[in-house]
Amino acid sequence: MKIAILSRNKDLYSTRRTVEAAEQRGHEAYVLDVLKCYMDITSHRPAIYHKGEKLEGFDSLIPRIGASVTRYGTAVLRQFEMMGVYPINESVAITRSRDKLRSLQLLSRKGVGLPVTGFAHSISDTNELIKLVGGTPLVIKLIEGTQGRGVVLAETKKAAESVIDAFRELDANFIVQEFIKEAGGSDIRCFVLGDKVIAAMQRTAAEGEFRSNLHRGGSAQIVKLTKEERATAVQAARVMGLNMAGVDILRSNRGPLVMEVNSSPGLEGIEKATGKDIANMVIEFIEKNAKPYKTKTRGKG
Ligand code: ADP
Ligand code: MG
C-alpha cells in the first residue's frame, strides 16, 4: 500500500515509528506536512499538491494533525476523503474530538460515564456553575487546551470565582468539572484500535501536581484494566467515530469516568510503558480495513 502520514515533523517519535512499521510491513510511507499541502477544490476531480507535487495513488492515510492546525489539517484530510483515500480516523471524528464540550455532549448522550461538568456563558452564572458540579474543589478547563495547559484546580470557592472571572474576561471558552479526588493524581490512557483496547498505561502526576500528563512530568506504568474500563474506552472511541483513539479515564468511586478522547494518541509513552509494538498494530489494522471510498462521512461536515 501507499500510505500517507499527515504530520508536521517526520522526526517526531510517533511519526518515525509509524513510517518504520509501514516500511517493515512492505508498504511505501510518505510523511506529508499539511501546511505544505494545497488543494484544488474547484473541479469535480479533487486534487492535492504537496510542495508543488500532485499527490496520487495513496491507499490510506494516518492523520496526526496537531491541535494548532486542526482547521486546515482536517480540510486537507477531507480532500483526501473526497479522493477516496482511507483514513484511519475521519475528519469529522477528529473535529469532534478537538472540542471538549462537544465531545462530552456526544459521550453523555450515549450514557458513557463522565465527571459532572458544567458550561455557561453569562457572568452571573458563576455561582450556579460552581454549585452544579458540587462545589469546590473543582477543575476548570479551557475547551481547546492540550497537554494539561489550561487545566486549573481550584480548591476554594474564592479561587474558583477568580479563575472563572479571569477566563471570562479573556473571552475564553471553558468547562467547569467536578474534581475526582480519589483518582489520586492518576489517570489511565487506553489505546483503542477498532473495537479493542490494545494497550493501557496508568499515568501518575509528579509530586505536588494533579495533572498526570507526561508533558507535565507525569510518570507511566503498565496497568491491568477491569472489564468495565475496557468496555468504557471502546464505547467512547466508537461514539466519537474514531478507529484509533487515546481514551483517558479517571478511576472514581462510581466507576470509570471518561475525561477525554484523543484522536492522535502519541506512541512514545505507551510503547515505552507497555513494551508493545503499537505502530505495527496500527499498520496491520489499516491493512485489514483500508478500502477506497470507505469513509462514512466523505466530504461532509
Ligand atoms: P488536556 O487535554 O490538557 O490533557 P485533561 O482534561 O486531560 O486536559 O486534564 C489534564 C490532567 O488533569 C488529566 O490527565 C488528569 O490527571 C487531571 N484532571 C483533569 N480533569 C480532572 C478531574 N475532573 N478530576 C481529577 N483530575 C483531573
Ligand atoms: Mg489529557
Side-chain angles (χ1 to χ4, degrees):
M1 278 195 295
K2 190 167 165 182
I3 303 175
I5 294 134
L6 296 187
S7 168
R8 301 228 42 219
N9 183 349
K10 64 177 175 22
D11 298 323
L12 292 178
Y13 181 94
S14 302
T15 307
R16 203 160 31 79
R17 287 281 302 118
T18 308
V19 170
E20 219 171 77
E23 287 174 350
Q24 261 166 20
R25 296 186 67 88
H27 304 294
E28 276 177 76
Y30 297 84
V31 178
L32 308 176
D33 177 352
V34 283
L35 294 189
K36 304 236 161 75
C37 288
Y38 56 98
M39 300 167 270
D40 179 353
I41 50 176
T42 53
S43 68
H44 287 296
R45 265 171 297 173
I48 307 184
Y49 299 80
H50 181 253
K51 297 179 178 171
E53 199 182 318
K54 190 169 182 184
L55 298 177
E56 272 165 323
F58 282 96
D59 301 291
S60 64
L61 81 97
I62 301 174
R64 303 204 61 93
I65 296 165
S68 60
V69 295
T70 299
R71 211 176 136 74
Y72 193 72
T74 50
V76 172
L77 177 53
R78 222 159 24 240
Q79 188 85 354
F80 273 111
E81 289 168 3
M82 291 192 285
M83 290 160 57
V85 182
Y86 171 84
I88 188 156
N89 283 334
E90 296 183 24
S91 57
V92 173
I94 294 173
T95 309
R96 278 182 200 143
S97 76
R98 287 294 158 83
D99 179 335
K100 284 187 206 255
L101 181 60
R102 186 174 178 191
S103 305
L104 292 173
Q105 285 176 323
L106 286 166
L107 295 168
S108 80
R109 199 170 68 190
K110 297 287 177 185
V112 176
L114 300 170
V116 177
T117 304
F119 177 80
H121 195 265
S122 146
I123 288 270
S124 59
D125 291 341
T126 302
N127 268 316
E128 289 303 309
L129 255 185
I130 295 174
K131 255 196 260 160
L132 181 85
V133 302
T136 52
L138 54 78
V139 177
I140 305 162
K141 300 184 187 184
L142 289 176
I143 288 204
E144 282 169 20
T146 57
Q147 303 182 349
R149 269 181 257 124
V151 178
V152 182
L153 171 61
E155 284 173 298
T156 63
K157 186 148 178 281
K158 269 221 141 27
E161 281 168 359
S162 356
V163 176
I164 291 173
D165 290 345
F167 278 0
R168 281 210 168 115
E169 208 55 48
L170 294 167
D171 245 337
N173 277 313
F174 59 90
I175 54 179
V176 176
Q177 199 163 67
E178 135 194 47
F179 177 55
I180 307 299
K181 192 162 184 259
E182 63 269 26
S186 289
D187 72 350
I188 294 171
R189 161 57 61 97
C190 305
F191 199 106
V192 178
L193 195 59
D195 56 4
K196 285 198 188 69
V197 177
I198 56 159
M201 64 175 165
Q202 179 163 41
R203 298 178 298 199
T204 304
E207 191 66 33
E209 171 63 73
F210 78 102
R211 294 165 297 183
S212 57
N213 301 67
L214 301 182
H215 287 99
R216 306 229 81 83
S219 57
Q221 301 93 353
I222 194 159
V223 68
K224 191 155 169 37
L225 299 181
T226 65
K227 239 180 164 167
E228 191 188 9
E229 287 165 347
R230 268 178 203 283
T232 301
V234 169
Q235 193 195 1
R238 186 175 341 110
V239 169
M240 301 296 296
L242 295 164
N243 289 314
M244 175 176 76
V247 180
D248 294 342
I249 284 180
L250 290 169
R251 281 185 164 160
S252 83
N253 294 336
R254 56 177 197 275
L257 304 179
V258 172
M259 212 171 20
E260 64 173 339
V261 183
N262 200 305
S263 55
S264 296
L267 299 184
E268 185 166 14
I270 195 124
E271 284 198 336
K272 288 188 176 159
T274 63
K276 291 188 179 170
D277 190 344
I278 312 276
N280 184 64
M281 293 188 239
V282 169
I283 302 298
E284 217 181 342
F285 179 89
I286 291 180
E287 289 169 6
K288 288 204 185 104
N289 292 284
K291 277 193 197 78
Y293 294 99
K294 195 182 170 181
T295 53
K296 290 190 216 71
T297 46
R298 197 177 343 126
K300 288 185 202 142

